[in-house]
Amino acid sequence: MSENYPITPDLVEAYGLCKRKAFLLLRSDSGDALHEYLRILDAQAASALGAFVGSLQATGLTLERHPHPELVGKADVLAQALLKTDHMEAVADVLVRLDSRTSKARHYEPHLVVGTHTITTDQKRKLAFIGYLLAETHSYRPPTGVIVNAIGRLQRIQLPKLMANL
């Protein structure tokens, strides 16, 4: 009996660290509860996400919480956008619409909000997976993505090289 589990950013990150860890995640082994450090990082990421979304709204951008896989609507910012194909899925923390004045097409740049102060290779890989999934689902390959750290600093990442390594 074979079950199909979607490939997620957490699975891609785990595979980059340890193939066995990815295998166990794919098997859905519950394992132990999250370590306190990981819970703290998750809480910092949630706080940073709230602050980042608030700052985007303060600049006058329209925001829409978007749990559906279709990127429809007229919002400049989509928060918690679900990107999904048959075998892959991810929730993009924030998708920011690229300059809407120059193009009528809806092209978005993925943003990943993390709970750490430094950006790791695993976080870049996670962002690349979200960018790849955005390209697969909406026929637009974003050239860059942004990682927002715990204190709100933004680091723009070139995605094509990272996507090639997925």
Side-chain angles (χ1 to χ4, degrees), residues 25-99:
L25 279 176
L26 198 54
R27 275 193 24 198
S28 296
D29 286 351
S30 60
D32 296 332
L34 277 180
H35 189 274
E36 184 178 353
Y37 176 71
L38 295 177
R39 284 194 301 256
I40 290 170
L41 288 181
D42 288 346
Q44 287 179 337
S47 174
L49 177 61
F52 180 63
V53 167
S55 71
L56 290 174
Q57 284 181 303
T59 62
L61 296 175
T62 57
L63 172 79
E64 185 177 315
R65 301 239 180 249
H66 211 280
H68 307 292
E70 306 83 28
L71 299 183
V72 295
K74 296 180 180 169
D76 298 317
V77 178
L78 302 176
Q80 301 299 308
L82 176 66
L83 304 171
K84 188 174 184 176
T85 67
D86 290 339
H87 303 290
M88 297 180 284
E89 70 180 51
V91 174
D93 290 337
V94 178
L95 294 175
V96 177
R97 191 173 184 183
L98 297 175
D99 192 11

Side-chain angles (χ1 to χ4, degrees), residues 111-123:
H111 287 60
L112 176 66
V113 182
V114 298
T116 59
H117 290 261
T118 58
I119 307 301
T120 66
T121 303
D122 297 327
Q123 293 163 343

